[in-house]
Amino acid sequence: MSDAAVPDGYSALREGCAVVERSWVACWEVSGADRQRFLNAYLTCDVKVLAPGAGAYGFFTDKQGRIEADAVVLALADRLRVELPADRAGAQAERLRKFVIADRVEIVAGAELVPLTLAGPAAEELLAAAGAPALPEAAWSHAPAAPFGVEVILVRQGRMGAPAFTLWGPAAAAPELAAAFAARGAVPASFEALEVVRVEAGIPRFGADFGPENFPQETGIEEAVSYTKGCYLGQEVVARIHYRGGVQRRLVGLAFDGDAAPAHGAALRHDGREAGAVGSALRSPALGRPIGLAIVHQRAAEPGTVLEVEGGGSAEVAALPFL
């Protein structure tokens, strides 16, 4: 989109209801008697405590405690569904399969499933009109539903920046469902619109704002890590950071000067020294200026600090969320 444009669906996300097929999210499932114990050994969130209908957000970490991918785990009656970025899903599943030795588990791709998301303050009303039952209340909680007669798993979505629900259903039915919701007032939304709302809410995204070079604590996402669950791959490093003084970098908001957002990855400097790099950067229609997110060194992380941006211009560190 052009810097001054308002992306398709942004107003609906803020004032009504938007519908979007999130093709950039994929899933696979873990079944078998040992599924919770097995997956619990590779995620930072506590999987063992999840009862059917509950869910959690966490990180897959390597043995150095750095993030390999983020994931949402949904506990179904007989299996666990794991949502990941589509470009990480296959590799992460294959990596976990290598650890299956005597465990009674099976990891199966969910390629036939597609997440259709309704987001915005009117999403609940639209779902109720479509015949959805009492809606899940806690983030990542979920229940079976059949809007317009299509059987789905309805999830109370977290980390969107707007009230949202995701319907995991058959890929073949997604266009029909999207059209049915659109006929009742939902506005098709773009990925760019979701990104604007996410950044305005100060929510970082894997691959844009953090990645394999980062420790969990640098993201500021406290819900993603349990410090009481016991061992998992990378747990010793993550726990040591938590209990012995924290990390040297953390997530901040950035308010850029001028009218255009800088390029992703542009270097940030403070007092002549490198402080970090620009993550998500875009124009906020609500604020009327370009904003962004970045993980920067603690010495440059206080709100009000002015950073130099590679290529020209500056950014002022802002408290999160922006809205």
Side-chain angles (χ1 to χ4, degrees), residues 27-30 60 80-82 84 89 92-93 96 107-110:
C27 76
W28 36 262
E29 296 181 340
V30 185
F60 287 104
L80 300 171
R81 181 170 295 167
V82 183
L84 304 95
Q92 202 63 40
L96 282 190
I107 301 171
V108 180

Side-chain angles (χ1 to χ4, degrees), residues 45-268:
C45 57
D46 196 341
V47 179
K48 287 192 300 184
V49 301
L50 296 179
Y57 173 85
F59 300 128
F60 287 104
T61 48
D62 63 18
K63 61 184 179 181
Q64 284 82 35
R66 289 187 169 88
I67 300 167
E68 292 189 328
D70 65 345
V72 173
V73 182
L74 307 178
L76 307 180
D78 59 349
R79 63 199 186 280
L80 300 171
R81 181 170 295 167
V82 183
E83 305 175 14
L84 304 95
D87 60 355
R88 299 293 297 173
Q92 202 63 40
E94 190 57 36
R95 178 174 177 273
L96 282 190
R97 288 190 184 100
K98 295 178 181 178
F99 294 112
V100 178
I101 302 174
D103 306 277
R104 294 170 295 173
V105 299
E106 184 179 8
I107 301 171
V108 180
E112 74 282 2
L113 300 173
V114 165
L116 185 73
T117 295
L118 294 176
E124 291 196 23
E125 180 182 348
L126 211 60
L127 280 166
L135 300 175
E137 294 186 1
W140 315 122
S141 61
H142 51 94
F148 307 114
V150 179
E151 294 186 0
V152 301
I153 296 296
L154 179 63
V155 185
R156 168 81 70 164
Q157 188 72 33
R159 303 187 53 72
M160 292 285 287
F165 295 86
T166 291
L167 295 76
W168 278 96
E176 172 191 341
L177 269 179
F181 283 116
R184 287 157 178 80
V187 176
S190 62
F191 172 78
E192 290 79 6
L194 292 180
E195 285 288 274
V196 173
V197 171
R198 175 184 66 80
V199 174
E200 289 175 338
I203 299 171
R205 178 171 64 84
F206 181 87
D209 305 298
F210 65 92
E213 71 278 8
N214 296 115
F215 295 106
Q217 290 92 338
E218 293 177 332
T219 70
I221 311 173
E222 306 218 346
E223 66 174 286
V225 182
S226 168
Y227 295 103
T228 60
K229 61 170 279 186
C231 293
Y232 56 87
L233 189 64
Q235 182 264 345
E236 183 177 350
V237 177
V238 175
R240 185 165 63 244
I241 290 171
H242 177 70
Y243 291 111
R244 296 186 182 178
V247 289
Q248 293 299 307
R249 301 185 297 169
R250 64 183 174 92
L251 182 79
V252 300
L254 299 174
F256 300 104
D257 66 350
D259 293 325
H264 180 271
L268 298 167

Side-chain angles (χ1 to χ4, degrees), residues 10 14 195-204 209 251-256 280-284 286-294 315-323:
Y10 175 82
R14 286 290 178 215
E195 285 288 274
V196 173
V197 171
R198 175 184 66 80
V199 174
E200 289 175 338
I203 299 171
D209 305 298
L251 182 79
V252 300
L254 299 174
F256 300 104
S280 298
L282 44 77
R283 185 175 181 82
S284 164
L287 299 174
R289 65 180 303 174
I291 60 173
L293 302 174
E316 181 177 328
V317 174
L320 295 175
F322 289 101
L323 296 179

